[in-house]
Amino acid sequence: LGVWAAVPLSATAFAGVHLAPAAMLYLFPLALCFALLRIRHDTLWASALLHMVNNALAFSVALAAMS
């Protein structure tokens, strides 16, 4: 399986394992960014950092909504 076939396949898997159909529309492009960062920087650290930032933002929005 080539890189350019693996990228959308892994993005689909990433969006799917979150089990939130409405969120898949935003998780799929985010996962594409994760994969492209991995390819560009040849490390998982950039993708992991973006994932942490995204989770922090989502948590902040959820926390603010509960206030």
Side-chain angles (χ1 to χ4, degrees):
L1 190 65
V3 170
W4 299 112
V7 167
L9 185 62
S10 67
T12 301
F14 178 84
V17 299
H18 282 82
L19 302 175
M24 286 182 191
L25 293 174
Y26 122 87
L27 288 171
F28 180 77
L30 183 65
L32 287 176
C33 290
F34 292 157
L36 295 174
L37 278 170
R38 165 61 182 92
I39 292 166
R40 171 74 170 92
H41 294 284
D42 199 28
T43 180
L44 281 175
W45 287 112
S47 297
L49 180 61
L50 180 59
H51 193 276
M52 286 185 275
V53 168
N54 179 68
N55 286 349
L57 288 172
F59 180 76
S60 298
V61 168
L63 196 59
M66 292 184 346
S67 298

